[in-house]
Amino acid sequence: MRGTPYPVGRPPFGYAVTSVKGVMAIDPDQAEDVKRVFYEAGRGLHPSVVAEILKSKHPDQNWDGKKVSRILEHRVLYQTGRYVNKAKGTDMVLPGLVILTPKEKQL
């Protein structure tokens, strides 16, 4: 996992703050789920249906349509590494944190 400085708070799904204070990196397991969300949404499935698919894969995790929708709303982050924190009014590019490949970006 390559690290990038991250301000504070909980990082978006697909990322984790490492043991080094303030460094965010891709969480490989969650990144696979992010890819799955975009794949299934690209097939036209509703977020609640995508959530049911992920619930069957991870019965111990809380998946619902709202969580899937939030992941879809972060498309720019997953595609480019650009993170906009509207609450704090910050806009930054986090190099090395792109999860979706060019092929997956087309979904």
Side-chain angles (χ1 to χ4, degrees), residues 13-103:
F13 189 84
Y15 303 98
V17 175
T18 65
S19 59
V20 178
K21 187 177 179 181
V23 175
M24 187 169 79
I26 293 173
D27 177 310
D29 295 330
Q30 288 185 3
E32 288 304 313
D33 291 336
V34 168
K35 291 178 181 184
R36 182 71 183 263
V37 164
F38 281 94
Y39 172 77
E40 299 297 356
R43 292 179 47 219
L45 297 182
H46 189 274
S48 61
V49 175
V50 176
E52 289 300 320
I53 291 169
L54 287 164
K55 265 192 226 179
S56 69
K57 181 180 174 191
H58 304 291
D60 57 325
Q61 294 180 8
N62 295 322
W63 282 97
D64 58 26
K66 189 173 184 176
K67 181 174 184 175
V68 170
S69 294
R70 281 194 306 268
I71 290 170
L72 293 170
E73 289 169 4
H74 282 92
R75 176 183 292 273
V76 171
L77 171 61
Y78 299 126
Q79 290 178 334
T80 67
R82 180 172 176 244
Y83 180 66
V84 178
N85 185 330
K86 294 176 186 173
K88 294 185 180 192
T90 58
D91 184 352
M92 60 186 150
V93 176
L94 305 171
L97 295 183
V98 174
I99 290 177
L100 299 175
T101 65
K103 182 180 178 184

